[in-house]
Amino acid sequence: MADLLYLSLWLRDYNESNMLQHWRRVVEAFPFSSISPGIQSLTIYPFHWGEMPVFEESFGEGIEAGEIVNLAAEFLPVDYAYEVEMNWDLWFPVSSASSGGWNRTPAAVSVACLGPAFDHEASDDRADIQVNFGLDTPFLPAEEDTLPELGPDFDPDLPDLRTRENLQQLVEFVHRLDQILPIAKRLLWCESGENLAEKILGTWDSAS
């Protein structure tokens, strides 16, 4: 069953004065889509996720991280959260075999920066920065009943090659963040609570 996939980051000495700059580094390290580049939207939530946003705007052509930080800096209480959405390119199976049965298309990802006092009633172990990658299915071996009808010349190894390329992009992004942020702890996890690293290893091992 498809599951939402997240990356949670806890940073050393994270505070109101540096949180937007850490957030900017994450966004600038992101492998933006070549088809739909730039940041597509910014939403700012007060107090906790259930509140109505105090700011919400979409950017048709996409804008850069510096512009987003300047906008967010106008709203800088410690109990606000700042979330941007952008796209990266992933391989997905398609119904037509004309292009080999797979297309590389934009997929939405969001990156949220949480003020130190945001959602103070949540767990004490709440992350400082959280990335929502959407569904985990692009990173796991494709199930036969989800694949399109493909031509007789289709390479049966292609689904694994495509999903492994997706996974490699994700892993490279996570490792890039390790190099540019003062990370105290990080966790790749699914909405169901599963540890993604364990899920991926188990699924790929069983598919091998």
Side-chain angles (χ1 to χ4, degrees):
M1 179 178 292
D3 212 346
L4 287 175
L5 168 61
Y6 297 91
L7 170 66
S8 293
L9 301 173
W10 292 261
L11 306 183
R12 293 186 295 274
D13 301 319
Y14 180 84
N15 56 55
E16 181 182 6
S17 66
N18 61 30
M19 62 184 190
L20 293 185
Q21 291 308 313
H22 289 316
W23 182 49
R24 176 176 181 168
R25 291 187 185 99
V26 175
V27 174
E28 289 179 335
F30 182 75
F32 284 95
S33 168
S34 60
I35 304 167
S36 177
I39 298 164
Q40 303 299 308
S41 68
L42 168 65
T43 307
I44 302 176
Y45 298 89
F47 316 132
H48 58 81
W49 295 116
E51 291 285 342
M52 289 290 293
V54 297
F55 180 89
E56 191 170 13
E57 187 169 345
S58 297
F59 312 101
E61 298 299 320
I63 66 173
E64 296 183 355
E67 297 177 74
I68 284 292
V69 168
N70 290 337
L71 284 171
E74 298 178 16
F75 307 82
L76 201 55
V78 295
D79 51 5
Y80 279 19
Y82 311 82
E83 184 176 50
V84 290
E85 184 173 292
M86 50 264 200
N87 295 306
W88 61 358
D89 295 328
L90 296 177
W91 288 105
F92 292 96
V94 293
S95 57
S96 169
S98 61
S99 61
W102 290 73
N103 275 346
R104 192 165 167 81
T105 59
V109 174
S110 67
V111 179
C113 167
L114 282 62
F118 180 77
D119 203 8
H120 63 86
E121 294 182 356
S123 167
D124 292 338
D125 202 29
R126 191 219 66 197
D128 300 318
I129 292 177
Q130 184 159 290
V131 184
N132 181 348
F133 292 109
L135 294 178
D136 62 0
T137 47
F139 310 101
L140 299 170
E143 299 178 4
E144 289 188 10
D145 60 356
T146 66
L147 293 174
E149 293 186 10
L150 303 171
D153 297 328
F154 180 72
D155 181 354
D157 293 329
L158 188 57
D160 279 359
L161 291 173
R162 293 310 191 205
T163 48
R164 286 182 188 273
E165 285 183 42
N166 289 342
L167 179 58
Q168 182 64 31
Q169 179 172 259
L170 186 152
V171 170
E172 288 176 355
F173 175 53
V174 173
H175 286 172
R176 200 173 302 133
L177 298 182
D178 287 343
Q179 297 169 2
I180 63 175
L181 294 173
I183 295 177
K185 183 175 75 168
R186 65 168 163 81
L187 179 64
L188 269 169
W189 56 283
C190 296
E191 189 176 38
S192 63
E194 288 186 84
N195 181 299
L196 178 73
E198 295 177 357
K199 180 176 182 179
I200 286 178
L201 289 174
T203 306
W204 278 110
D205 287 346
S206 63
S208 299

